[in-house]
Amino acid sequence: MTRISVDVDDKLLKAAREELGTDTDAATVTEALRLLFLRRHAADIMAALESAEMDYTGSADAWRYGGGRDFSRLAEDARFERGSLSQVRFRARVRRVDPVTRAAMIGVSWHPGCPVEIDDLRIIEMPHHGFDGEVHRGELMVHQDIARDVVRVFRELFRAGFPIRRMELVERYGGSDDESMAADNTSCFNHRPIERAPERTSNHSYGKAIDLNTVKNPYVLDDTVLPPAGRDHLDRTDVRPGMIVDGDVVVRAFAKYGFEWGGHWTTLKDYQHFEIPRREP
């Protein structure tokens, strides 16, 4: 291994860490050098990609950013598809909301009067284990204040092999919490009221509440079970993959970064729900 010393402006390094989603200064410099290497060889890489036969039919992600081909994302998706679980590292990317997603949000997951601006939100792209034994890419939209901690939480879940059904932005479900839950989708930001108190705004509206594996971890209040398919998982002693129970790696990981678990609530149980408690003035 070759060791090198570099002098980097502290403000520049901090900005680079936020942009690259890295945890340490050393990791930030390493990733920056890797990207520099790729940039210098971009002509050769693009020539190789242009000469390869590629099928973009039906692939919205291939055209998502700026109207052009997102080769880096396609390459990562291909690596996840062919790589075994032991070969895939957890690498997350935190980015601002792009114009296409912003347009899809307005009137769907974000409405006038929302307590946060879209510019306050971040999209985390990260891998997660699925129930099929494969590694998949997911997207989670959160408030910028908690983005780094959310990455750390899901890194712990990934390393523990905890399976997640899917992780898609709620716009895919037309902003419907019911449809997102029915799909067993893991999500965060969605401007909507609290289920049991429609006059109050949910913490999801602040991008500071996450619902995880919603079918296996339902919302339960008296005879109400949401989503309805969650009735198959009301027996919390019959622990199956993807379920969250007190004291497990999921509850511990979220608690480490200040999240409260709905499974600890007394008037109702929201086993899927983790939130940063909002302190009312």
Side-chain angles (χ1 to χ4, degrees):
M1 176 182 293
T2 301
R3 294 184 180 275
I4 60 173
S5 298
V6 294
D7 293 323
V8 183
D9 180 85
D10 289 341
K11 291 183 178 179
L12 179 62
L13 187 60
K14 180 180 179 181
R17 284 182 63 172
E18 293 180 355
E19 179 66 24
L20 298 175
T22 47
D23 290 331
T24 65
D25 292 348
T28 303
V29 172
T30 299
E31 179 64 6
L33 290 173
R34 186 186 72 83
L35 293 174
L36 178 62
F37 174 84
L38 290 177
R39 183 175 180 180
R40 288 185 174 178
H41 292 270
D44 294 336
I45 294 171
M46 292 300 295
L49 286 169
E50 290 291 352
S51 65
E53 293 184 5
M54 296 185 181
D55 180 9
Y56 291 97
T57 57
S59 177
D61 287 339
W63 296 91
R64 181 169 184 176
Y65 301 107
R69 299 178 184 178
D70 183 6
F71 289 111
S72 63
R73 176 154 185 166
L74 289 175
E76 289 184 10
D77 287 345
R79 177 167 59 86
F80 288 140
E81 289 299 323
R82 71 170 183 269
S84 68
L85 300 186
S86 61
Q87 294 173 325
V88 179
R89 292 192 304 157
F90 182 93
R91 295 187 61 185
R93 178 191 178 198
V94 180
R95 62 179 177 84
R96 294 179 180 275
V97 178
D98 58 274
V100 174
T101 303
R102 177 188 291 266
M105 293 171 62
I106 297 175
V108 177
S109 66
W110 187 93
H111 310 83
C114 182
V116 297
E117 297 297 331
I118 294 178
D119 287 339
D120 295 329
L121 301 169
R122 296 292 182 269
I123 297 174
I124 304 174
E125 300 174 1
M126 54 188 164
H128 63 86
H129 296 298
F131 288 90
D132 55 1
E134 300 293 333
V135 174
H136 303 271
R137 288 188 63 79
E139 290 186 325
L140 199 65
M141 184 179 294
V142 306
H143 194 282
Q144 61 180 345
D145 290 350
I146 68 168
R148 182 170 294 177
D149 285 344
V150 171
V151 168
R152 290 168 176 158
V153 169
F154 280 87
R155 179 183 289 114
E156 292 194 27
L157 303 192
F158 184 83
R159 289 174 175 172
F162 181 81
I164 296 172
R165 178 73 63 192
R166 56 176 50 85
M167 190 187 298
E168 301 171 331
L169 302 186
V170 77
E171 287 74 35
R172 193 178 192 89
Y173 303 93
S176 170
D177 185 45
D178 288 338
E179 291 187 18
S180 179
M181 284 194 295
D184 206 12
N185 183 46
T186 293
S187 66
C188 180
F189 174 76
N190 190 11
H191 182 203
R192 60 178 178 81
I194 293 175
E195 178 67 33
R196 69 185 187 279
E199 73 282 358
R200 296 171 55 198
T201 302
S202 166
N203 252 3
H204 288 281
S205 304
Y206 294 80
K208 294 186 177 182
I210 297 172
D211 288 343
L212 178 59
N213 285 350
T214 50
V215 171
K216 293 182 177 294
N217 303 287
Y219 167 102
V220 183
L221 176 61
D222 299 326
D223 293 331
T224 300
V225 178
L226 299 174
R231 289 188 181 277
D232 292 338
H233 295 84
L234 291 182
D235 182 357
R236 307 308 290 179
T237 63
D238 180 16
V239 182
R240 286 160 279 172
M243 290 177 63
I244 303 166
V245 294
D246 198 9
D248 70 3
V249 63
V250 183
V251 176
R252 295 198 311 272
F254 274 101
K256 185 185 301 185
Y257 297 100
F259 284 84
E260 180 181 283
W261 180 41
H264 284 153
W265 297 346
T266 55
T267 57
L268 64 89
K269 296 294 183 182
D270 199 352
Y271 296 109
Q272 63 195 249
H273 186 89
F274 292 90
E275 70 175 29
I276 298 294
R278 190 166 76 251
R279 308 304 179 192
E280 300 291 351

